[in-house]
Amino acid sequence: CKIIRRFKRKRHVSGRHGGTMNVFDRSMKRRQKTWASRLPEHHEYDYLRDEVGGRVADRVYDVARTFPLALDVGCGKSHIAEHVSKDIVERLFLMDVSHGSLMRKKECEMPTQCVMADEEFLPFRENTFDLVVSSLSMHWINDLPAALRQIHGVLKPDGVFIGAMVGGETLYELRCSLQLAELEREGGFSPHISPYTAAADMGNLLGQAGFNMLTVDVDEVQVHYPGILDVLYDLQGMGESNCAWNRKCLLHRDTILAAAAIYREMYGNEDGSVPATFEILHMIGWKPHESQVKPAQRGSATASFGELSKISQPQTSNKTDKP
């Protein structure tokens, strides 16, 4: 597809000395994703994105309507679109920060338009889309509340946002093993796994962005690898290496060997493999519209909770048979 490039000239959030929300190096993340997309065996690292993309598509099917125009924020290689039929989504905009990922997009039924843009700055007018989806991309956004407000803005009234992102317990096995190994070998540790959003915070973030009728649920995907190096190689092949500004770029050989031993000792399976857990936060939020169901006003109830036990009890008769 023809790729349209749209970037803001000023990125206050992404600069090292920019705004207050400045955790990730967005230009580094773009380079990581582009590098991963150019690997000869790039499709071998799509297993997690394909799995989560299918789960997001299932939630799209749960909404009993057809969406004339939809947007996929941080689409990667269009891991959601391949699971959605043109009867549900008639036209789809694919947006990603990486040109290489867009060039590798997978085939889908509906017409698509590719837009190369940063997820932190949506280059679309307000009230444009009937549906916005996102899968495994938003955890790299610096200012997540602002990004959710932008998604809310580009949705039409009564439009829906359906997304998935990794949560705070993701890769806890790898995080713990690296920290213990660095403490043992180097006397301190540095963050090698980037910070993630906690599941308990997502509802508040969606509500503050203006969404209503919220749904947040948590999935867990566990992948088994031969060893810790295979985990690191696959994360790199996915374009999911750490891009936090405070990341430590070098891991000493002794530290890696120690981490591998700790990983296998603490979390290893009987067959010699090691697990890597991905916590997936699924979220659904609707842009308000007058046609949506609204809660009843306070004080309008016709029964109290104290009367529920009486309502559920069967009625008994006081009549007695006459002789």
Side-chain angles (χ1 to χ4, degrees), residues 138-150:
M138 298 183 67
H139 56 282
W140 294 117
I141 291 178
N142 278 297
D143 194 348
L144 186 57
L148 290 172
R149 288 194 296 270
Q150 290 186 62

Side-chain angles (χ1 to χ4, degrees), residues 3-7 30 34 94-100 102 114-118 123:
I3 299 177
I4 302 175
R5 293 178 175 83
R6 293 181 179 177
F7 286 103
R30 182 172 67 251
T34 300
L94 300 171
M95 193 195 86
D96 198 87
V97 71
S98 167
H99 177 271
L102 291 172
C114 297
V115 178
M116 182 179 172
D118 197 319

